[in-house]
Amino acid sequence: MVTQLMMGNEKAFSELFNTYYNDVYAYSLSMLKNQTLAEEIVQDVFLNIWLHRDRLNPDLSFKSYVFTITRNLTFNLISKVANGHKLKEEVFYVSQKSYSPVEDSITEADYDVIKKKAIEQLPPKRRIIFEMSRNEEMSYEEISQKLNISVSTVKGQMSKALADIRVFLQNYDDVKFLIILISSRWLE
């Protein structure tokens, strides 16, 4: 079917759309918590597939390709939300109220608790390095001197700390919290 799509066969495209629509929508909705935005992502995914159908590789998994595009477009939207005032208001206020009233009750104190838990799950040395970088705003060089370790060790530990924290935060499945952290540059 992918080969037929590559040749511009609209019926093949329609069948692939019908096959993957619900999964793409559910995947995007799980990250965005907004039905309208998830629908737009679905449209963008399939528009992207149609426009770039000549680049498809029939030997690779089409399903993996679809979900990679979905993930990338969703993350791009989250980044735009973090940087775009109008869209930020839409996601923070309108969509959250229409999707889940429970999430509206999350306060700044809740975010602090979640951030604290994310940091506490780090191994002790990694946590110390992370806190020196983020809380004390020390440079990697300053941390390496203070702890008597190499700068490359500090960089490696920070990279691992950020990866660990991202995995931890994914369990909270709260796009609002992720947007706040991205916009505050806490996860960079």
Side-chain angles (χ1 to χ4, degrees):
M1 190 156 325
V2 174
T3 307
Q4 294 173 358
L5 171 62
M6 291 174 67
M7 294 185 290
N9 184 319
E10 291 180 12
K11 185 176 180 187
F13 175 78
S14 180
E15 286 180 33
L16 288 168
F17 177 87
N18 291 332
T19 301
Y20 291 100
Y21 173 87
N22 289 331
D23 292 334
V24 169
Y25 175 77
Y27 183 55
S28 184
L29 182 62
S30 74
M31 290 186 281
L32 294 171
K33 304 289 191 248
N34 180 292
Q35 296 172 348
T36 304
L37 295 176
E39 288 275 356
E40 289 178 20
I41 291 293
V42 172
Q43 292 173 7
D44 289 347
V45 166
F46 286 99
L47 176 62
N48 194 316
I49 289 169
W50 178 257
L51 293 175
H52 303 289
R53 64 188 177 274
D54 56 325
R55 297 183 197 162
L56 291 172
N57 185 342
D59 300 326
L60 298 178
S61 167
F62 184 76
K63 183 175 185 176
S64 295
Y65 179 71
V66 168
F67 282 99
T68 299
I69 292 173
T70 304
R71 183 194 67 224
N72 292 344
L73 289 175
T74 303
F75 285 149
N76 287 346
L77 179 61
I78 289 171
S79 292
K80 285 179 189 175
V81 168
N83 295 320
H85 182 65
K86 272 189 167 182
L87 194 51
K88 186 186 290 183
E89 284 184 1
E90 165 64 18
V91 171
F92 276 93
Y93 302 110
V94 177
S95 68
Q96 294 300 319
K97 287 178 184 167
S98 66
Y99 186 76
S100 175
V102 174
E103 289 180 14
D104 290 337
S105 67
I106 295 177
T107 64
E108 194 66 35
D110 295 325
Y111 291 126
D112 289 339
V113 168
I114 294 169
K115 280 170 60 173
K116 185 178 179 185
K117 285 180 183 178
I119 294 169
E120 285 174 351
Q121 57 92 27
L122 296 173
K125 288 184 181 179
R126 194 172 296 162
R127 180 173 54 235
I128 289 167
I129 291 170
F130 181 85
E131 288 178 333
M132 291 172 87
S133 173
R134 293 302 188 260
N135 298 343
E136 299 173 33
E137 298 181 4
M138 294 175 71
S139 69
Y140 289 176
E141 291 78 19
E142 292 170 326
I143 296 169
S144 76
Q145 289 172 1
K146 188 167 184 177
L147 297 179
N148 199 24
I149 57 177
S150 71
V151 173
S152 63
T153 300
V154 174
K155 287 180 183 178
Q157 289 298 310
M158 278 300 295
S159 178
K160 289 177 183 176
L162 293 171
D164 291 346
I165 290 169
R166 284 187 189 104
V167 168
F168 179 87
L169 294 176
Q170 286 175 351
N171 293 331
Y172 276 86
D173 204 24
D174 184 356
V175 75
K176 207 165 42 166
F177 183 62
L178 184 58
I179 290 168
I180 288 170
L181 293 181
I182 290 170
S183 64
S184 71
R185 303 174 92 50
W186 193 70
L187 286 177
E188 293 181 354

